[in-house]
Amino acid sequence: MFESAAALAQEHADLEREMGDPAVASDPDRLREVNKRYAALGPTVTAYGEWVSATEDLGAARELAAEDDSFAAEVPALETAADEAADRLRRLLIPRDPDDDRDVILEVKAGEGGDESALFAGDLLRMYLRYAEQRGWRTEVLDATETDLGGYKDVQVSVKSRGNPQPGEGPWARLKYEGGVHRVQRVPVTETQGRIHTSAAGVWVMPEAEEVEVTIDPNDLRIDVFRSSGPGGQSVNTTDSAVRITHLPTGTVVSCQNEKSQLQNREAAMRVLRARLHQMAVDEANAASADIRASQVRTVDRSERIRTYNFPENRLSDHRTGFKAYNLDTVLGGELDAVVESAMSADEAARLEALGEGTA
């Protein structure tokens, strides 16, 4: 397994030389690609160097221990250090999701529960916006359908990183586990008897695809324009600037009305459509992948109930990992790292187990 780390270390060195090549420096696309790959390999190469150093120190101590008891006394500590270095490297060598560095399009949609569900969808939206802000990501609301009470029937947001994120730090790497049904238990603002209600909202997270990655035949699209409307049907635009795009081969429908112009809404709708078509292609490929099936956390089934937010007990429960937190107010304020990392750890453990089975 660690032989692959040596190959990655060599690739890292080759990329470093390539960055000094004037031909690469004058090609922005190639330079960006090289920089991204170089940064992604950095942690693994560092861990590989630490493992090599630790194993060499251990080997030397064992060799000298036969002649000098002082070296024999050092062996247990060096064995521990070598094991820890091996474990760090092993985790970094787990096959990564190729989309981990991507930006995402995140959609929150109200489900059962009427106005209360729409208000909860708004709570989830604010949670993700605050989380993105804490991590230094940029967000842009692509489209939103609001309700009279300030909730959302449906909202789509673009989340983008700044620069080249480290492995496991990109928007997709951390937000992909959010997809599914989020259930809330609380007393709705519309409840006069003080009874606790249960409602839900759905979250769908998709890696954003570049235009060159998804080929869309213009002849496969039906594009309709209509007048934008706000809460309660109140007109917010006097022109037909809203756009609805139907991808005929798949039946995928995307609409956007947030922007002032038809052109801007069309561009936003195409971004969402590309992301959906890309995700559909990835889902089809993953359906036959043992690595994906081995993951107990990641799912593309939007009907799966993944989390419950219990307001009376200030408790959040993740049904996939068993994670519980009794600081629901803080989590909804954007402190999502502990929740996300519980899912990442469970996914990593499942992949490690699958990797062990594959190398047995």
Side-chain angles (χ1 to χ4, degrees):
M1 178 180 177
F2 290 169
E3 290 177 0
S4 62
L8 294 176
Q10 182 59 55
E11 181 185 354
H12 191 260
D14 293 342
L15 290 170
E16 188 170 17
R17 285 192 294 272
E18 192 172 353
M19 286 189 291
D21 186 337
V24 174
S26 61
D27 183 345
D29 290 338
R30 177 56 184 164
L31 183 60
R32 183 166 53 251
E33 181 182 336
V34 169
N35 277 329
K36 185 174 181 179
R37 179 62 175 166
Y38 182 81
L41 290 176
T44 304
V45 171
T46 298
Y48 176 63
E50 292 171 350
W51 173 74
V52 169
S53 178
T55 53
E56 288 177 347
D57 289 346
L58 176 59
R62 283 172 171 168
E63 186 176 334
L64 294 170
E67 304 172 4
D68 189 335
D69 290 342
S70 64
F71 285 102
E74 294 181 11
V75 168
L78 291 172
E79 286 176 337
T80 299
D83 288 343
E84 290 175 350
D87 185 60
R88 284 194 299 273
L89 180 57
R90 187 178 294 108
R91 291 178 181 279
L92 286 166
L93 288 173
I94 297 172
R96 292 181 58 215
D97 183 339
D99 287 334
D100 268 357
D101 296 332
R102 286 185 186 266
D103 300 323
V104 306
I105 290 177
L106 183 147
E107 181 174 358
V108 184
K109 185 185 290 288
E112 297 178 0
D115 286 334
E116 165 61 7
S117 176
L119 288 171
F120 179 52
D123 292 337
L124 292 176
L125 170 65
R126 284 183 287 277
M127 178 180 73
Y128 292 126
L129 292 178
R130 289 167 182 164
Y131 182 60
E133 182 180 6
Q134 290 177 15
R135 299 200 67 84
W137 298 335
R138 293 173 294 161
T139 58
E140 175 191 1
V141 176
L142 300 177
D143 192 53
T145 304
E146 298 182 52
T147 65
D148 292 325
L149 294 179
Y152 288 88
K153 293 181 180 178
D154 189 9
V155 58
Q156 296 164 347
V157 183
S158 165
V159 184
K160 292 182 174 291
S161 63
R162 301 179 188 272
N164 293 322
Q166 291 295 314
E169 298 298 318
W172 174 252
R174 301 191 75 83
L175 292 176
K176 62 185 175 183
Y177 304 102
E178 294 301 302
V181 175
H182 296 239
R183 187 178 69 164
V184 62
Q185 295 172 325
R186 65 183 176 188
V187 179
V189 295
T190 54
E191 170 60 50
T192 59
Q193 303 297 320
R195 293 172 297 184
I196 296 173
H197 288 223
T198 298
S199 59
V203 175
W204 193 13
V205 189
M206 303 165 285
E208 185 155 7
E210 299 293 337
E211 193 168 350
V212 295
E213 296 176 301
V214 179
T215 301
I216 300 177
D217 187 340
N219 295 322
D220 288 339
L221 302 179
R222 185 178 72 236
I223 301 176
D224 302 306
V225 296
F226 56 98
R227 187 159 299 177
S228 302
S229 61
Q234 187 177 18
S235 176
V236 296
N237 206 323
T238 56
T239 61
D240 291 339
S241 61
V243 174
R244 182 185 301 108
I245 299 178
T246 304
H247 185 247
L248 300 174
T250 62
T252 304
V253 180
V254 177
S255 62
C256 282
Q257 61 177 1
N258 254 36
E259 302 296 339
K260 297 288 187 182
S261 76
Q262 187 182 121
L263 178 60
Q264 289 173 314
N265 282 320
R266 176 169 175 162
E267 290 176 348
M270 287 299 294
R271 286 174 63 185
V272 177
L273 178 61
R274 280 195 297 271
R276 288 189 179 178
L277 294 179
H278 171 78
Q279 187 61 52
M280 289 169 66
V282 170
D283 292 346
E284 289 177 6
N286 287 345
S289 168
D291 287 343
I292 297 298
R293 286 201 306 272
S295 171
Q296 298 172 2
V297 180
R298 176 78 182 101
T299 177
V300 295
D301 182 1
R302 285 179 290 163
S303 66
E304 181 195 22
R305 190 187 71 185
I306 67 166
R307 199 173 294 154
T308 295
Y309 303 72
N310 186 305
F311 275 70
E313 298 179 15
N314 199 31
R315 185 187 74 234
L316 176 142
S317 304
D318 193 296
H319 305 298
R320 301 160 301 174
T321 66
F323 177 87
K324 283 185 172 60
Y326 291 86
N327 60 339
L328 178 56
D329 49 346
T330 304
V331 173
L332 287 172
E335 299 289 343
L336 259 179
D337 272 335
V339 188
V340 169
E341 285 164 11
S342 73
M344 295 176 74
S345 296
D347 194 18
E348 182 183 86
R351 288 175 181 270
L352 264 175
E353 183 178 350
L355 192 63
E357 291 172 358
T359 56

